[in-house]
Amino acid sequence: MKVKTEGFYEILSPRCTVLISTADKEGRPNAAPFSFVTPVSANPPLVLFAATPQRHTLANVRETGEFVLNIVPQQLLDKLWICSKAFPRGVNEINEAGLTERKSAAVKAPGIEECAGWIECRMEFEKEAGDHVLVVGKVVDAECRDEFFKEGQFDVSRAKPVMHIRGTRFVVAETTIEPEAR
Amino acid sequence: MKVKTEGFYEILSPRCTVLISTADKEGRPNAAPFSFVTPVSANPPLVLFAATPQRHTLANVRETGEFVLNIVPQQLLDKLWICSKAFPRGVNEINEAGLTERKSAAVKAPGIEECAGWIECRMEFEKEAGDHVLVVGKVVDAECRDEFFKEGQFDVSRAKPVMHIRGTRFVVAETTIEPEAR
């Protein structure tokens, strides 16, 4: 069946959904969920997210050049949802959701303590794309909770990162599969 | 624990992995898997993927301005893996993997019949980003198999799109969850 082109992103799913934490130039923290996110380069390590122009996240990144991607495990879904609400600028969604700020290693913007991993970034460039703005950042530090590593690899079946389909519908990935023909 | 910044994409996972099908200017089809893919705009509908400069996909998109994202269900994982091999330019990976070309609705590049959904695109712009090139395309047609829609929504738990972690490790998402606090 035909899918409305404006709704194409629903079939390009599920999409790993992160909380992006930032601070404004006065140091006031902000956190908001994003699912239009992807790595785009390994060396140098670059990550991209797309934000609508009115997002406070974008305003903060423009002010400070810094952001942190926080990997959200399944048990934080309700808190992620609280962070998606339209709070006025300057409100600290990390506190509103009952989460804890985490001191970052390489940037001033805080991470979120309860998350499964933290990818600290410095903005490289932005570019307009339709109704969103692409933000590309260089990864300057990356950390992950020890318990989510198994045999030196990130264990998705334990971390259970939340992934978005649409609206309130999310999924968790649990079943690991491998191709037979290597 | 610290994660090497060059390997940060492992914890930004799993990533929905599509087969991108293209044709060169002589009409010879190509298909290759990509997991650095994300929607970036709803209106106009824009999608982005990141390709290393030597990928045949990128050469074809530059020649024709067209590409199709094919949503890959779990049962096609082995065939996706075959398409990831380094075939010489001009080899039709769709045939090599035992898959079938599908006539597209709005572009000359073929889709892949056995896939779960098809997002047809025309290139809008490209931009270098580290060791990859960002390709942004406008969605000109989107379709999905009827059996993967339930109550007007894409049913991920039936379509079971494959998602990549690293190397041969993939996962499928099956369990749908919703936040309690709406």
Side-chain angles (χ1 to χ4, degrees):
Chain A
M1 61 182 285
K2 289 274 183 187
V3 177
K4 276 184 191 159
T5 53
E6 292 77 13
F8 81 94
Y9 56 84
E10 192 192 342
I11 64 170
L12 189 54
S13 77
R15 298 175 304 278
C16 207
T17 303
V18 298
L19 278 168
I20 299 187
S21 52
T22 54
D24 65 14
K25 60 176 183 267
E26 276 110 49
R28 296 178 300 180
N30 179 280
F34 287 83
S35 78
F36 289 2
V37 178
T38 183
V40 293
S41 172
N43 187 13
L46 301 179
V47 68
L48 174 147
F49 70 94
T52 49
Q54 65 272 26
R55 294 290 287 260
H56 300 154
T57 300
L58 183 62
N60 287 356
V61 171
R62 284 171 170 166
E63 282 185 13
T64 66
E66 297 180 346
F67 59 97
V68 180
L69 304 188
N70 300 270
I71 308 299
V72 181
Q74 179 179 0
Q75 68 268 25
L76 295 189
L77 178 61
D78 286 341
K79 292 176 186 297
L80 176 148
W81 195 250
I82 293 169
C83 292
S84 75
K85 308 283 182 198
F87 293 104
R89 189 156 186 218
V91 168
N92 183 339
E93 289 85 356
I94 302 175
N95 293 347
E96 292 294 324
L99 294 165
T100 315
E101 288 171 38
R102 172 183 189 269
K103 193 172 160 48
S104 295
V107 298
K108 284 181 191 161
I112 298 171
E113 186 60 43
E114 291 82 354
C115 285
W118 308 272
I119 300 170
E120 301 179 17
C121 304
R122 283 210 185 90
M123 189 179 184
E124 286 276 307
F125 63 84
E126 65 170 81
K127 182 162 175 58
E128 210 178 286
D131 56 19
H132 282 58
V133 176
L134 309 180
V135 176
V136 172
K138 184 172 182 179
V139 177
V140 292
D141 192 81
E143 295 188 46
C144 181
R145 288 192 182 281
D146 292 359
E147 66 257 40
F148 296 141
F149 264 79
K150 196 169 70 177
E151 295 161 16
Q153 300 194 343
F154 183 52
D155 188 357
V156 167
S157 61
R158 293 187 71 181
K160 296 187 181 174
V162 297
M163 288 173 290
H164 197 213
I165 306 172
R166 61 179 272 175
T168 56
R169 295 184 69 224
F170 292 82
V171 290
V172 285
E174 292 172 297
T175 312
T176 303
I177 53 174
E178 300 208 32
E180 283 185 16
R182 307 279 174 86
Chain B
M1 61 181 287
K2 290 273 184 188
V3 177
K4 276 185 192 158
T5 53
E6 292 77 12
F8 82 93
Y9 56 84
E10 192 192 342
I11 64 170
L12 188 54
S13 77
R15 299 176 302 280
C16 207
T17 303
V18 299
L19 278 167
I20 298 187
S21 51
T22 53
D24 65 13
K25 60 176 182 266
E26 275 110 50
R28 294 178 302 179
N30 180 279
F34 287 83
S35 78
F36 289 4
V37 178
T38 183
V40 293
S41 172
N43 187 11
L46 300 178
V47 68
L48 174 148
F49 70 95
T52 50
Q54 65 272 23
R55 293 292 286 262
H56 300 154
T57 300
L58 183 62
N60 287 356
V61 170
R62 283 171 171 168
E63 282 185 13
T64 66
E66 297 180 348
F67 59 98
V68 180
L69 304 188
N70 300 271
I71 308 300
V72 180
Q74 180 179 0
Q75 70 266 24
L76 295 189
L77 179 61
D78 286 341
K79 293 177 186 297
L80 177 148
W81 195 251
I82 293 170
C83 292
S84 75
K85 309 284 182 195
F87 293 104
R89 188 152 186 222
V91 168
N92 182 339
E93 289 86 356
I94 301 175
N95 294 345
E96 292 293 325
L99 295 166
T100 315
E101 289 169 38
R102 173 183 189 268
K103 193 171 161 44
S104 295
V107 299
K108 284 183 190 159
I112 298 171
E113 186 61 43
E114 292 82 354
C115 284
W118 307 273
I119 300 170
E120 301 179 19
C121 305
R122 283 212 186 89
M123 188 176 182
E124 287 276 308
F125 64 84
E126 65 170 81
K127 181 158 176 61
E128 210 177 286
D131 56 19
H132 282 57
V133 175
L134 309 180
V135 176
V136 172
K138 183 172 182 180
V139 177
V140 291
D141 192 82
E143 295 187 44
C144 181
R145 288 192 181 281
D146 293 358
E147 65 257 41
F148 296 141
F149 264 79
K150 197 170 69 178
E151 296 162 16
Q153 299 194 344
F154 183 52
D155 187 357
V156 167
S157 61
R158 293 187 71 181
K160 294 186 181 175
V162 298
M163 287 172 289
H164 197 213
I165 305 172
R166 62 179 273 177
T168 57
R169 295 184 70 224
F170 292 82
V171 291
V172 285
E174 292 172 299
T175 312
T176 304
I177 53 174
E178 300 207 33
E180 282 185 18
R182 307 280 173 87

